Amino acid sequence: GSPAVGRKVYEAAAANLTPVTLELGGKCPAIVGKGASLAQVCESLVFGKLLNAGQTCIGVERIYVHQDVAAELARLLVERFDDLRAGADPAAAAGPITMPSQVRIIDQHVADAKAAGGRVLAGGAPTQGQVVQPTLLTDVPEDCAAVAEETFGPTLVLRAVRDMDEAVALTNASRYHLGASVYGKANAEHVARRIRSGMVSVNSVLAFAVVPTVPFGGVGDSGFGRIHGE
């Protein structure tokens, strides 16, 4: 659930000293270094974004990519996004949004991003009912809802950074700290260890969720406590 709902559950549980595990919202980042294999990164990010049409607490919502490879990664992502279509039919690459109320949030995040100077690199077609098309955004200010708040839909924000220090700083500035991914070579694990997050995968996406012996949970406004392994 959301941090607001989590606080209500926690308050109610406190009356009887009932222990709780809270797994709340996420705004999971992917950090891409200049040594990463961009073709593989692209496929990984598209899967991490469009699984369940983006309705995944640990789905990728923002990308921080080294400026030296940002243009190439953007090109690859645009090519993939242009080949993808959301719909309610079996041939669609992504399905509808489950809750009508979430559609309004997704549309508002995109509209706010565009109003603040953000650009649509791919997708962005008008929403039809509960079908939201995969959308790739860039040049979105960090204080926009599309970057700062959980969107829970098939939208992705890409930002070029000067180095991994900037990527880590922007990642850790969020109030959400659930999952994250780091792509690179020699320094990828070092970068991963600097991220404030409940879980981080290296050169993969969502890997921590599919290994049952690995703990799952967040910190900050993403909650506390762990399920699965120790």
Side-chain angles (χ1 to χ4, degrees), residues 59-217:
V60 180
E61 296 220 354
R62 51 196 175 120
I63 302 172
Y64 298 115
V65 54
H66 195 286
Q67 60 188 5
D68 289 356
V69 295
E72 178 63 11
L73 180 60
R75 184 188 69 81
L76 292 170
L77 287 170
V78 168
E79 286 184 357
R80 289 293 286 119
F81 268 64
D82 285 346
D83 289 337
L84 299 169
R85 177 181 60 83
D89 59 287
I97 302 303
T98 305
M99 301 294 291
S101 58
Q102 197 64 34
V103 175
R104 293 191 292 272
I105 293 173
I106 298 167
D107 285 346
Q108 188 63 55
H109 283 194
V110 173
D112 289 347
K114 292 165 65 176
R119 295 186 294 120
V120 177
L121 294 180
T127 296
Q128 296 182 322
Q130 286 172 233
V131 175
V132 180
Q133 295 303 323
T135 301
L136 179 64
L137 300 161
T138 193
D139 296 336
V140 182
E142 291 292 302
D143 59 353
C144 278
V147 179
E149 299 297 331
E150 184 174 40
T151 305
F152 214 64
T155 64
L156 187 59
V157 179
L158 181 147
R159 172 172 173 154
V161 294
R162 61 181 178 272
D163 52 33
M164 295 297 94
D165 288 341
E166 183 181 16
V168 170
L170 291 171
T171 291
N172 290 345
S174 173
R175 68 190 184 103
Y176 294 106
H177 304 282
L178 186 58
S181 302
V182 176
Y183 298 88
K185 286 190 175 179
N187 69 332
E189 288 192 19
H190 173 69
V191 172
R193 294 182 187 281
R194 296 171 59 197
I195 295 174
R196 184 179 185 229
S197 184
M199 307 160 288
V200 185
S201 60
V202 176
N203 289 325
S204 65
V205 67
L206 315 184
F208 41 73
V210 298
V211 182
T213 55
V214 172
F216 185 104

